Amino acid sequence: MADFLGSVWWMIVSLGVLVTFHEFGHYWVARRCGVKVLRFSVGFGRPLWSRRNRNGTEFVIAAIPLGGYVKMLDEREVEVPAGERAVAFNNKSVWQRIAIVAAGPAANLLLCIALLWAMFVIGRQDYSATVGRSSGMAASAGLAAGDRIIDIDGRAVATWAEASMALTTAAMDRQDARVRVLDALDTPHTRVLPLSTLPAGFDERTVPQQAGLAWRFMLQPAQVESVAEGSAASGQLQRGDLILAIDGQRVESADQVAPLVQQLGERGGPGMVEVERDGQRMALEVLPRKAPGDGRWLLGVGFVTGQAPAYDARQQYGPLAALPAAVREAGRLAGDSLGMMRRMLTGHASVKNISGPITIARVANASAERGVDLFLYFLALLSLSLCIINLLPIPILDGGHLLYYLIELLKGSPLSERAMAAGQYVGLALLAGLMGLAFYNDILGLFPR
């Protein structure tokens, strides 16, 4: 219940901030262009609070906090007195109307950069793209535990999320990925992951795993929490021991212990378990015992679970250096977003990547719980997404209106009201389809296979 309420709260906060900033962009430029603004509403439905300024604009906070709007004086919507026709939106020049409509997405882009700037000044903490375990394709390519990925196809990566995105992009484009790494001794190497050989219909959300990569921070260390009395490990292993190897095979995570103990038991005889205890490395001879009835060979130890590893990647800049870093990051995010849209349109990416309000709410809550830096990053990404979506040439969105005005510039006169109305219906149908798909994906995401 707490997660649900937290998700709803943080979604309201997120959308409230971003939509208010978007609508303020429209409002500010409209006032600069001499347009009379009748209402600036945060939210929809019944007003909970309202106030009118000296210019006649009513500022409203409404009951449904999932959006907002700016209502301008317009002869196409209401009867305008002769004395106010000069301040009606529809009587402004086409370039002024373009500026007013484009101001909303532009405000979201500026907000994205500002949020990223604040994040970099505070310092973004994350996990490096360090390999914890490799198998299959990754192992064959030469990637090994401890390798830190620093570049993929010429694109520098600082975190596991950036590396995962770059690998996913290469896989969707059916291309092999050139991966530059630094090994445990900081020696650089170049590896080639043959992602083009992934089978058709692969799950785009798990490309690193399908390539045989497990990030180090995701692996639970094999640190002993308890030792069962009378077990094979009793008298040998102690609480706090970190298991490093079993029978000569390296252990990177707790989930590897059971299979290796099973192999040792089936081989027969005792084996050596290497552990780190109080900073000292030691080898202990252990003979696994067979569990009665099910044929499993056991050590009889329990491991520490649910322990979040310490962050090992931090990006922080001074106030001046943070600005170009924020612009670069916004450009990278915009490129990734536009590239994903292009791939979905051409069939190279699945429409499962389209998410709706349920996913937004869950991610908002998770990012807020992790810290201010990640929440700022989430807000920046969401603000950029609102900018891009609103610029799509779909009628009823800002991009659709901009398309109308560009046509007006080319033909020398506005589109007919009939053509614009037809476009509105098409736009509504497209948006309804996209929203339905987003909700469908969200609901499927609630019930993972």
Side-chain angles (χ1 to χ4, degrees), residues 49 118 125 159 178 382 436:
W49 175 90
Q125 297 188 105
T159 66
R178 292 182 60 83
L382 190 57

Side-chain angles (χ1 to χ4, degrees), residues 35-36 90 102 156 159 176 204 237 279 309 337 358 373 376 382 396 401 440:
V35 174
K36 182 175 182 178
N90 63 291
T159 66
D176 297 338
E204 296 159 7
L237 273 69
S337 299
I358 296 175
D373 55 337
L376 289 172
L382 190 57
I396 83 169
H401 291 293
Y440 176 76

